[in-house]
Amino acid sequence: MALTKLSSENGGFRSQVWVWLAGVALLFIVGLILAFVVAGRDRDRAEELLEQEMALTASGRAQAVNGWLNEQRGILDRLAANPAVAIYAMSSQEPAAGQAPAVGQGQAEYLARLLETVAAQTGFAKATPQLRANVEMPPAPGLAVLNRDGRPIASFGGPLPDPRAYLPQATRETVTDYGAKLVDQPALAILSPVPDPQGGAPVAYVYGVRALDDAARVLTTTTERFSSARTGLVLRGNVLVGDADRLPTPAHLAKFAAEPGRLHDYGNALVMLQPVAGTPWHVVRVIDADEGLGPVNTQWRLRLLSLLALAALVTALILLAWRHGASRRAAQSAAIARETAESEARLRAFLSTIADRQPTLIGVVDENGLLRFSNARLRDWVNAGEDVHGVPLARLFGAAEPAIATLLAEAAKGKDVAEALVDLKDASGDDRRHQVEAVSLPDGNTLLVAHDITDLLAERARREENMAALVLALTGLIDARDPGSRHHSEKVSAVAAAVAAELGLEPGEVETLRLAGQLMNLGKIMVSRHILTKEGPLTEEERAIVRASMAQSAGILANVPFDGPVAETVAGVEAPNPSQLSRVLRLSNALVGMVSPRAFRNPLSIEEALVLLRQNAQPEDAQILSAMAHVIDNRGGRDVLGV
């Protein structure tokens, strides 16, 4: 009976062992599947990020190439728009029978010198070396002015490829050949029509050919992350710029061009093509797969091995726990962990007593980006309600996590206090602007303090809006007092601000000039309306009264708390040694007054006004007048002045 009972107990014991082993095996299989799923998902995410980075870089290079192409078109279009080119080209047409050509040697030389000057400034072509007459020169880059039949009137560089194939296409629009040839190198050919002043067919053409290897400089970037990266310019699968031996074959390039912005495998390389807008070109970017995805694959394998090891460890622990129960080491570890937890709890309680009373967000982050301490304000902000100990920053700050991580990295480099403005979402999902400071602590952790400055910024914006409304009201008051110079202040303000920006002054100085221009005539409210509306020249006494109104304007503005020296700038207009801001304001005021009509005189043209300003200018005014002329001719200054 005893033996039967013992055998029965042993059989039950063995059955229990098999049940436990089956459970452990099942756990191991589940862990293995989870390891593959998690590691594979991380690898797919890394590949997606690499594709986005490659697409961003390739798009940037495509935009740079497009800008370079527009620059080349602009060179020829400006030449074609030159009135001298049209005049000389019209005079070079085929003369009637018995008449000599209308164009002279001097005109042809002028055009040749013009082309040489443009080529020297833009690097479009180089002078062709003089060789014996019986030596045929190969096609080379250059510039030329052609008549309607495509024969050159004047040229520089070259000899150029035959342009007659482009003439039927060039009615009134510029024609671009993106795949022209210069012997054994690709080139860019552009034919820009010279417009007929009477609106007819083009009277001539400006023709330019440039080797595409010059575009290589815009294909590179100083912020390249991959040492194996190579970039090229492709036309229908053929490499125009770049090392063709290190790029995919034309067949593969044509295939990849059908899916721009996608990352393609090409042997041991990764390839991406991006189209250049408005052209048949594509920018191709290639990096070695080992450099692009090598770290990702290594990380994928390490994570997979780590998860497998973790599953194996859990299995072993379960077997040991089932076989031997809790060991002494586990008990000691538990005791140490309990003591550490109690110590940290006491420390957190002490810090919480102080930090929870602060209105700012306070947290302590370890070197792994995990939150080790948070005050009540931070917990309420992330809608946690309790200490978010050990939570990664990405879960707390969402889209703002990269900016916070950058601050932590700067603090870890030894910077005393790293600061940044960051938008953080509150519990309701609204963005609030915070000034975040990061300070490295002696124990390797980092203290984060975030001050909510949203209301402060809103108050500043409200104050600026009130100031703008006040300035507008005062400007209207000035115009009402002096209707003959209506909108004078607005024009002075716009011109002065534009000139200041052209001079490269600070934004605060530009804003100071904008306000000073609007308010410089505020003192006219003290001037008799009879003087302001007088039809005819003012007497010397009346002029003195008007000039004195400038000082009265400065006196009125002296007690207004502007952010910049507005009152000082207005006061300096009549000073013997004005500041740079006062000089800009004085010259802008003079220009607007000259080109504006008055009851006793007609307005001057802009050209006449600039001549008078230069004649009476001081040496310190030269740079300001140059910037003013540039604003008028190239920055829309004529529209501002209404002329």
Side-chain angles (χ1 to χ4, degrees):
M1 293 291 294
L3 291 175
T4 303
K5 183 178 179 180
L6 179 60
S7 174
S8 176
E9 291 177 354
N10 289 337
F13 179 77
R14 284 193 296 270
S15 299
Q16 188 179 7
V17 170
W18 281 109
V19 171
W20 276 97
L21 289 177
V24 169
L26 179 61
L27 179 62
F28 187 86
I29 293 173
V30 172
L32 185 63
I33 295 174
L34 290 176
F36 273 100
V37 171
V38 173
R41 188 173 298 171
D42 290 346
R43 185 177 185 276
D44 293 342
R45 177 58 179 166
E47 289 180 354
E48 181 182 352
L49 292 176
L50 177 62
E51 184 179 68
Q52 293 175 359
E53 179 182 357
M54 288 275 287
L56 183 62
T57 304
S59 297
R61 295 305 91 211
Q63 293 176 7
V65 171
N66 194 276
W68 177 85
L69 175 61
N70 290 333
E71 179 182 352
Q72 312 314 309
R73 288 173 175 160
I75 294 171
L76 270 68
D77 289 343
R78 286 192 293 274
L79 267 175
N82 190 319
V85 174
I87 293 172
Y88 292 162
M90 293 176 65
S91 64
S92 69
Q93 304 303 322
E94 193 69 29
Q99 295 181 357
V103 66
Q105 181 66 25
Q107 294 172 339
E109 289 180 357
Y110 171 82
L111 291 179
R113 296 290 79 79
L114 177 61
L115 296 177
E116 181 179 359
T117 300
V118 172
Q121 293 174 347
T122 64
F124 208 98
K126 299 179 181 178
T128 304
Q130 298 294 325
L131 298 177
R132 295 191 304 272
N134 60 348
V135 177
E136 183 178 357
M137 295 291 293
L143 293 169
V145 177
L146 313 176
N147 65 10
R148 292 176 176 175
D149 298 327
R151 291 183 291 105
I153 301 172
S155 64
F156 178 78
L160 297 171
D162 191 350
R164 286 177 293 181
Y166 312 127
L167 291 179
Q169 309 171 47
T171 54
R172 296 185 183 180
E173 301 291 338
T174 298
V175 176
T176 305
D177 185 353
Y178 301 95
K181 285 287 186 181
L182 291 175
V183 187
D184 58 346
Q185 61 175 328
L188 174 70
I190 303 175
L191 191 71
S192 183
V194 178
D196 184 355
Q198 298 180 357
V203 299
Y205 302 90
V206 177
Y207 180 44
V209 179
R210 185 168 197 157
L212 278 177
D213 55 3
D214 184 63
R217 61 183 175 82
V218 300
L219 289 174
T220 59
T221 175
T222 57
T223 58
E224 182 57 67
R225 185 167 75 90
F226 301 105
S227 60
S228 64
R230 52 263 192 198
T231 309
L233 190 63
V234 177
L235 174 63
R236 302 181 187 92
N238 297 314
V239 178
L240 301 179
V241 179
D243 188 355
D245 294 334
R246 301 185 64 206
L247 295 175
T249 63
H252 283 90
L253 288 174
K255 177 182 177 182
F256 298 157
E259 292 184 279
R262 296 293 305 276
L263 199 61
H264 303 277
D265 290 326
Y266 180 74
N268 295 325
L270 300 173
V271 184
M272 177 173 287
L273 273 77
Q274 281 287 2
V276 179
T279 76
W281 289 341
H282 283 80
V283 171
V284 57
R285 177 171 168 80
V286 183
I287 64 171
D288 291 343
D290 289 339
E291 184 179 15
L293 292 177
V296 176
N297 292 331
T298 300
Q299 185 180 25
W300 182 83
R301 287 191 292 269
L302 289 176
R303 287 188 177 183
L304 183 59
L305 290 175
S306 299
L307 289 171
L308 290 175
L310 179 60
L313 178 61
V314 171
T315 302
L317 290 176
I318 291 176
L319 290 173
L320 290 175
W322 169 75
R323 181 66 178 174
H324 302 288
S327 65
R328 179 180 296 181
R329 182 177 300 174
Q332 292 176 347
S333 299
I336 294 174
R338 185 169 54 255
E339 182 180 350
T340 303
E342 292 175 355
S343 176
E344 290 184 354
R346 289 192 296 270
L347 177 60
R348 287 198 301 272
F350 172 73
L351 294 176
S352 296
T353 303
I354 300 174
D356 286 350
R357 299 179 180 271
Q358 304 302 316
T360 55
L361 309 180
I362 301 176
V364 176
V365 183
D366 65 11
E367 61 274 10
N368 296 319
L370 302 179
L371 199 65
R372 293 304 177 191
F373 172 78
S374 59
N375 69 339
R377 176 72 172 172
L378 178 57
R379 293 193 296 274
D380 292 341
W381 187 268
V382 299
N383 201 22
E386 57 185 12
D387 191 358
V388 282
H389 186 77
V391 176
L393 292 181
R395 284 183 51 192
L396 297 178
F397 297 108
E401 187 270 337
I404 302 296
T406 300
L407 275 180
L408 295 176
E410 291 180 0
K413 293 178 181 178
K415 188 174 182 179
D416 293 339
V417 179
E419 299 178 341
L421 294 179
V422 180
D423 287 330
L424 300 178
K425 290 187 178 299
D426 59 14
S428 61
D430 297 329
D431 283 331
R432 301 283 294 181
R433 178 58 59 93
H434 284 72
Q435 181 179 358
V436 184
E437 301 173 351
V439 181
S440 180
L441 301 177
D443 58 358
N445 294 331
T446 304
L447 174 65
L448 275 179
V449 180
H451 307 273
D452 189 346
I453 60 173
T454 306
D455 296 336
L456 178 63
L457 294 178
E459 175 62 23
R460 179 181 298 176
R462 186 190 63 80
R463 189 180 64 186
E464 292 176 353
E465 291 177 357
N466 291 341
M467 179 63 71
L470 175 61
V471 170
L472 184 62
L474 293 177
T475 303
L477 178 62
I478 297 171
D479 290 341
R481 288 278 297 163
D482 187 6
S485 59
R486 182 173 298 275
H487 304 303
H488 178 91
S489 301
E490 296 178 8
K491 294 179 180 180
V492 172
S493 173
V495 171
V499 172
E502 187 67 27
L503 290 171
L505 301 186
E506 296 294 330
E509 296 175 310
V510 175
E511 178 64 14
T512 295
L513 275 172
R514 187 184 67 80
L515 291 173
Q518 290 179 303
L519 300 173
M520 64 181 297
N521 291 319
L522 185 58
K524 285 186 177 181
I525 62 176
M526 306 292 185
V527 179
S528 169
R529 185 176 177 85
H530 167 72
I531 296 176
L532 294 177
T533 58
K534 181 178 181 180
E535 295 184 0
L538 300 177
T539 65
E540 190 60 34
E541 180 181 357
E542 291 170 337
R543 289 179 182 275
I545 294 174
V546 173
R547 283 195 298 269
S549 68
M550 189 72 67
Q552 293 173 334
S553 298
I556 295 172
L557 299 174
N559 296 323
V560 180
F562 295 103
D563 291 336
V566 176
E568 294 83 346
T569 301
V570 174
V573 170
E574 298 295 336
N577 295 308
S579 65
Q580 185 182 29
L581 296 182
S582 296
R583 289 182 183 276
V584 172
L585 184 60
R586 181 176 65 186
L587 293 173
S588 300
N589 183 51
L591 176 68
V592 173
M594 290 179 182
V595 301
S596 300
R598 292 294 183 263
F600 56 87
R601 64 164 174 82
N602 292 324
L604 299 180
S605 68
I606 290 181
E607 290 73 16
E608 292 173 334
L610 289 175
V611 169
L612 289 176
L613 288 176
R614 291 192 179 99
Q615 289 176 351
N616 297 281
Q618 299 178 359
E620 295 83 355
D621 298 333
Q623 184 180 12
I624 300 175
L625 289 173
S626 297
M628 183 178 290
H630 185 71
V631 166
I632 292 172
D633 291 335
N634 303 299
R635 305 295 189 198
R638 294 180 183 271
D639 295 335
V640 173
L641 293 171
V643 296

